[in-house]
Amino acid sequence: MSDQEDLRTVPSPPLHGVRVLDVSTLFAGPLAATFLGDFGADVIKIEHPARPDAARGHGPQKHGVNLWWKTLGRNKRTATVDLSTAAGADVLLRLVADADVMIENFRPGTLERWGLSPEQLFAANPRLVLARVTAFGQFGPYSSRPGFGSLAEAMSGFAALTGDPDGPPTLPPFGLADGIAALATSYAVMAALRGAERDGVGQVVDMAIIEPILMLLGGQITAWDQLGLVQPRTGNRSVNNAPRNVYRSRDGVWLAVSTSSQSIAERVMTVVGRTELTREPWFGSGHDRAQHADELDDAVQTWIGAHPASEVIDAFEAASAAIAPVYDVRGVVDDPQYRALETIVRVPDPELGDLAMQNVLFRLSRTPGSVRWAGRPHGADTDDVLRDAGFSDDDIDALHASGAV
């Protein structure tokens, strides 16, 4: 855009004007707020004055600056408030009055104990969407237990499905259940905002981290209910189709092959020179092919193992068969498809200079999201946030002196 172009012709991001109070910690709640901030919401991250979000201490650091926080905390203003104090609770109620969304993940009963129950929050702002993100939900026998995404990965059945058949259940090395819950929470918040816009009243979003990941595991509940089936642990294989695995090329590159559709399965076997297998009676369905995974894997691995990765990928691409290299982060940042999509963006940062991170989740043609700034230091915007809420400089000084902010 040229300097002369009227800025008024540039559409605002879709969530411009939506204010979000992120009162949550660690991953599911804060990441949901990040997703909203990426598309223009004014997100205010509220942290305890003396105990910052523990996420600031996870992962690697550079010059004492946490790198993960630069992504998780992006597009957020940061303020400190001790919600357990009467003065801090009053600050939050003042902020809630001008907010559209509040996201919290304290154990059930904590906000109520501080005088910040949903009823008190709705009294301050009847249109508020209050998203409550906990491991087990707001009620039930486990609701008061401490919990993290790893427990959801275990309880949902994900860990039981993951790993080699003769090995132990396997947990992912990252916050999978938290990430899925964050996506679900941002979706729930948008649905509730639409309801508030239509009806003029807000509501509570009760997000239990154990639930969204269960939905993504497919039709296992119905299969158990109707057939008594328990899906086994199959490593990289699938019970629904074959060949589906990772295979090592002659030059030592691991390549993933998937044949979820019948036509792709036929193309893969043509590429590897085993078209006779496609004429077997069992080749006609993914489920039946999965019963012959040993034979199909052997055919695919034999051919891939005899060729360098570049030749394998070219041959699969020419045949319109599905294949992808198994990347670590180095492969991701160098991949031409990710570059074309601008999946990785560089962001200027006053603490670390220019740094790279994942871009927003999706592209909108008219009102795109953006990473406007990376995660900011603890409490960097406290005074500005308080002034926006109508506190005078004397009020702010008093709050600082009392330790409430």
Side-chain angles (χ1 to χ4, degrees):
M1 184 179 67
S2 68
D3 293 339
Q4 291 76 30
E5 185 175 349
D6 190 341
L7 291 176
R8 289 173 297 180
T9 65
V10 179
S12 298
L15 296 183
H16 177 75
V18 174
R19 178 164 289 180
V20 178
L21 301 179
D22 176 10
V23 190
S24 56
T25 58
L26 290 173
F27 306 116
L31 187 56
T34 301
F35 294 149
L36 299 173
D38 284 351
F39 288 88
D42 175 19
V43 179
I44 301 172
K45 171 71 177 181
I46 304 294
E47 299 173 82
H48 190 279
R51 297 189 299 276
D53 188 333
R56 292 181 181 269
H58 282 246
Q61 297 187 355
K62 180 180 179 181
H63 305 319
V65 177
N66 182 268
L67 300 180
W68 196 347
W69 178 255
K70 289 301 176 183
T71 298
L72 184 63
R74 72 191 192 190
N75 293 334
K76 300 180 184 182
R77 296 192 283 162
T78 61
T80 60
V81 183
D82 184 351
L83 302 182
S84 68
T85 66
D90 178 65
V91 169
L92 186 70
L93 290 172
R94 293 270 293 270
L95 295 175
V96 161
D98 196 36
D100 301 283
V101 179
M102 177 173 144
I103 301 174
E104 64 95 5
N105 69 337
F106 298 104
R107 285 199 216 178
T110 301
L111 284 184
E112 288 81 353
R113 189 169 67 251
W114 292 340
L116 295 169
S117 68
E119 293 75 18
Q120 290 162 304
L121 295 171
F122 289 139
N125 182 352
R127 295 172 61 92
L128 182 71
V129 171
L130 174 60
R132 313 192 78 175
V133 185
T134 57
F136 304 110
Q138 293 296 310
F139 55 91
Y142 302 165
S143 60
S144 62
R145 292 182 180 179
F148 300 97
S150 296
L151 305 190
E153 290 145 11
M155 286 183 60
S156 65
F158 173 86
L161 290 175
T162 307
D164 293 328
D166 57 351
T170 303
L171 296 170
F174 64 99
L176 177 63
D178 284 301
I180 295 171
L183 288 166
T185 300
S186 60
Y187 167 64
V189 165
M190 295 307 301
L193 280 174
R194 178 66 182 93
E197 179 185 1
R198 182 191 63 201
D199 303 330
V201 293
Q203 59 186 303
V204 173
V205 172
D206 180 3
M207 179 61 63
I209 297 173
I210 61 173
E211 292 185 301
I213 187 173
L214 182 62
M215 184 63 184
L216 267 62
L217 291 176
Q220 295 183 67
I221 300 296
T222 306
W224 165 252
D225 175 71
Q226 297 295 305
L227 299 173
L229 291 179
V230 177
Q231 184 172 329
R233 191 156 55 251
T234 56
N236 287 323
R237 289 177 172 175
S238 169
V239 296
N240 300 310
N241 64 81
R244 190 265 200 180
N245 214 321
V246 294
Y247 309 90
R248 198 171 190 180
S249 67
R250 191 178 72 194
D251 51 347
V253 177
W254 288 100
L255 301 164
V257 172
S258 179
T259 58
S260 294
S261 72
Q262 182 67 23
S263 61
I264 295 293
E266 293 170 0
R267 292 171 194 165
V268 168
M269 302 319 296
T270 299
V271 170
V272 302
R274 297 296 302 275
T275 55
E276 78 279 4
L277 293 176
T278 67
R279 295 188 287 272
E280 294 287 347
W282 47 261
F283 199 86
S285 77
H287 180 268
D288 289 343
R289 291 199 310 275
Q291 309 309 307
H292 295 264
D294 285 342
E295 185 174 2
L296 293 170
D297 273 349
D298 181 68
V300 175
Q301 179 57 72
T302 298
W303 187 86
I304 288 179
H307 298 81
S310 59
E311 290 183 12
V312 174
I313 293 172
D314 288 346
F316 270 66
E317 184 174 350
S320 293
I323 194 167
V326 177
Y327 283 151
D328 61 19
V329 66
R330 294 167 293 185
V332 171
V333 298
D334 288 338
D335 184 84
Q337 182 62 31
Y338 281 130
R339 287 180 178 175
L341 295 174
E342 298 182 349
T343 305
I344 299 170
V345 64
R346 300 204 69 86
V347 182
D349 181 71
E351 292 184 289
L352 296 175
D354 190 50
L355 53 85
M357 66 178 62
Q358 301 93 318
N359 208 338
V360 300
L361 283 174
F362 48 84
R363 286 160 292 282
L364 296 180
S365 62
R366 190 177 64 84
T367 57
S370 64
V371 181
R372 301 181 297 284
W373 63 84
R376 289 174 56 70
H378 177 235
D381 305 291
T382 300
D383 290 359
D384 287 341
V385 167
L386 293 175
R387 289 189 188 97
D388 287 349
F391 288 89
S392 69
D393 287 345
D394 288 342
D395 294 333
I396 295 170
D397 290 340
L399 288 167
H400 279 293
S402 70
V405 302

